[in-house]
Amino acid sequence: MRGRTGYASLVLVLLAAGCGGEPPPTAAADVTGVWCGPERDVLTLDAAGGFTVTDISTPLIDEVLHDEEFVPGYRRKTEYAGAVPRHGAGRWRVHVDHGDMFQARRDHVVLDWATFESVQVDEDLELTIAGKGAGLMLGVERVESGFTTLFARCPAA
């Protein structure tokens, strides 16, 4: 009898731990809408999976073109002659990185860029989703610099 009670207690503890675990992954509907950057960048994620960015800033384009092999801004200066496109577009999706024993789950919005202005490109940017509810932020996470916020919900007009 004693063995069964211990087993039942263990099952209840495991069930309780599972029920109080991580919140559900971010759904596409949670991030659909208009997001504002600190330098007038405006990111619009539509329900059909398309996105546009207007007033692209130098920090944003440098994140899109980020390559760990080079210093920040190198690709913009060498491949795009230092120019910063004013707008861009492409497709977006939510990606859930379930993590492992060393890192917690991370939810991301992945921007697959198709154009900078009228020029076709093939770039992507993975934005980590941070915060809760109306306080969601989209940013980049780098080992050397931590989390940098690139977008927050735009205030209602």
Side-chain angles (χ1 to χ4, degrees):
M1 184 75 155
R2 192 169 165 178
R4 288 185 187 172
T5 304
Y7 177 73
S9 297
L10 177 61
V11 168
L12 287 174
V13 168
L14 291 174
L15 283 174
C19 293
E22 294 181 338
T26 304
D30 296 331
V31 294
T32 300
V34 182
W35 297 80
C36 291
E39 295 194 27
R40 297 182 5 174
D41 317 65
V42 177
L43 167 65
T44 304
L45 303 174
D46 69 38
F51 79 86
T52 58
V53 180
T54 57
D55 291 325
I56 297 174
S57 65
T58 299
L60 176 59
I61 202 67
D62 285 347
E63 288 297 342
V64 174
L65 300 174
H66 178 78
D67 187 329
E68 293 177 5
E69 303 290 319
F70 304 107
V71 297
Y74 178 80
R75 289 192 60 212
R76 175 177 41 85
K77 291 173 188 168
T78 58
E79 297 173 32
Y80 295 92
V84 176
R86 298 311 312 146
H87 55 83
R91 306 286 303 160
W92 72 275
R93 61 191 161 80
V94 172
H95 168 71
V96 177
D97 177 357
H98 292 283
D100 56 25
M101 66 187 332
F102 302 107
Q103 186 173 1
R105 183 190 88 207
R106 298 272 196 274
D107 296 357
H108 305 278
V109 170
V110 180
L111 303 178
D112 294 317
W113 296 75
T115 62
F116 290 155
E117 312 239 345
S118 60
V119 178
Q120 288 190 333
V121 296
D122 184 16
E123 304 289 347
D124 68 317
L125 177 62
E126 191 170 282
L127 297 171
T128 301
I129 302 168
K132 294 181 183 179
L136 284 181
M137 296 175 293
L138 305 177
V140 292
E141 261 186 311
R142 304 252 186 260
V143 172
E144 66 276 3
S145 59
F147 183 85
T148 302
T149 301
L150 290 181
F151 294 100
R153 289 270 187 203
C154 292

